[in-house]
Amino acid sequence: APFLAIGGNNMFSMLYDANFTYDSSMPIYENKPPSFPYTLDHRIFHECMIPPCPNKAFPGVWEIPLVMWNDHKDGRCSMADACSNPPDAVGVYLMIMKNFQRHFQTNRAPFGLFYHPAWFTTPHHKEGFELFLDTVTEMEDVWLVTSWQAVQWMRDPTPLDKIKQFKPFQCDYKSRPPRCDNPKVCNLWHKSGVRYMRTCQQCPSIYPWTGRTGVANSLVDNL
């Protein structure tokens, strides 16, 4: 959700109706031990830090929580750009590693790397992050995966001696459409003026907005 401002039951009803796999918008303050991703088959088990949170069950929808980090001043932050970041690359590296070790040395809950792109425009942030990647990619029992891949492993926990045969980690997507280098520009009227949007799909008939996507959905529109 934008700015982690989730929409409570209305938002999660939409995710459920539209068959979304997961959401990743809810921070969790408690990080000892860190939380694993969980399903909304039941009501959330943790404090709602940014209301409104869902207070109903949405079976099958996963939540990948933003487990709070401790920054170098021991404050809490759900995304790295909200942290008090050290002034040099080594300090950034050590801050990330300290939070990674809390996961790695305890229950091995997935360690989320949540950033806005602007964070990387500060050179020593990027350098410290790359030092972290260099370290963890040398570890034989650490895998860098997408949120979707993490959910697939949660659905089917696979030991390391079989992980190379675990299909979601193989990155073999021959059926995936090729990268779109030339998106269409759609001119659509919205409210009091024309809006422009780029898409690699067919232009929708209306500008996508709250309550109407402009694209028919078989689950939502009862097609």
Side-chain angles (χ1 to χ4, degrees):
F3 303 107
L4 306 184
I6 59 177
N9 290 335
N10 287 339
M11 173 180 146
F12 281 86
S13 292
M14 178 279 296
L15 298 177
Y16 176 80
D17 290 340
N19 201 30
F20 274 60
T21 299
Y22 70 90
D23 168 71
S24 188
S25 303
M26 286 195 275
I28 291 186
Y29 186 82
E30 181 54 54
N31 59 16
K32 296 180 180 179
S35 171
F36 277 85
Y38 60 89
T39 68
L40 288 164
D41 292 8
H42 307 280
R43 293 175 60 173
I44 63 173
F45 63 90
H46 54 84
E47 176 188 359
C48 177
M49 295 192 64
I50 307 176
C53 291
N55 58 18
K56 295 166 54 180
F58 297 93
V61 178
W62 284 78
E63 179 65 27
I64 300 178
L66 284 71
V67 177
M68 286 280 186
W69 285 17
N70 292 83
D71 63 25
H72 81 127
K73 294 183 178 179
D74 214 31
R76 296 283 180 103
C77 45
S78 55
M79 300 183 72
D81 31 337
C83 295
S84 176
N85 285 279
D88 56 72
V90 172
V92 170
Y93 163 75
L94 292 174
M95 183 185 75
I96 302 173
M97 280 300 300
K98 177 180 72 173
N99 287 282
F100 167 77
Q101 291 292 353
R102 185 183 309 110
H103 290 244
F104 187 73
Q105 298 292 350
T106 59
N107 60 2
R108 299 288 180 97
F111 178 60
L113 297 169
F114 302 109
Y115 301 86
H116 289 105
W119 186 84
F120 293 97
T121 62
T122 301
H124 76 269
H125 289 174
K126 182 179 178 182
E127 185 181 348
F129 182 78
E130 289 175 342
L131 288 171
F132 166 75
L133 292 182
D134 289 342
T135 298
V136 296
T137 52
E138 291 296 318
M139 301 171 70
E140 293 184 354
D141 50 356
V142 173
W143 291 72
L144 294 174
V145 298
T146 65
S147 295
W148 180 85
Q149 288 172 312
V151 168
Q152 304 317 304
W153 187 90
M154 290 291 297
R155 286 170 164 167
D156 182 18
T158 302
L160 282 177
D161 61 352
K162 297 180 180 178
I163 201 70
K164 291 185 178 179
Q165 288 76 49
F166 185 56
K167 191 170 182 180
F169 280 15
Q170 293 175 4
C171 299
D172 183 12
Y173 302 119
K174 292 185 176 66
S175 60
R176 178 178 289 179
R179 189 178 73 177
C180 174
D181 294 319
N182 298 297
K184 303 181 185 72
V185 178
C186 307
N187 305 334
L188 300 165
W189 186 266
H190 178 65
K191 294 186 178 180
S192 59
V194 174
R195 297 286 183 95
Y196 300 93
M197 60 172 284
R198 294 176 180 271
T199 178
C200 292
Q201 309 298 323
Q202 182 178 348
C203 287
S205 58
I206 58 175
Y207 187 77
W209 198 246
T210 308
R212 58 178 195 171
T213 64
V215 179
N217 182 297
S218 59
L219 290 174
V220 177
D221 302 322
N222 296 318
L223 297 181

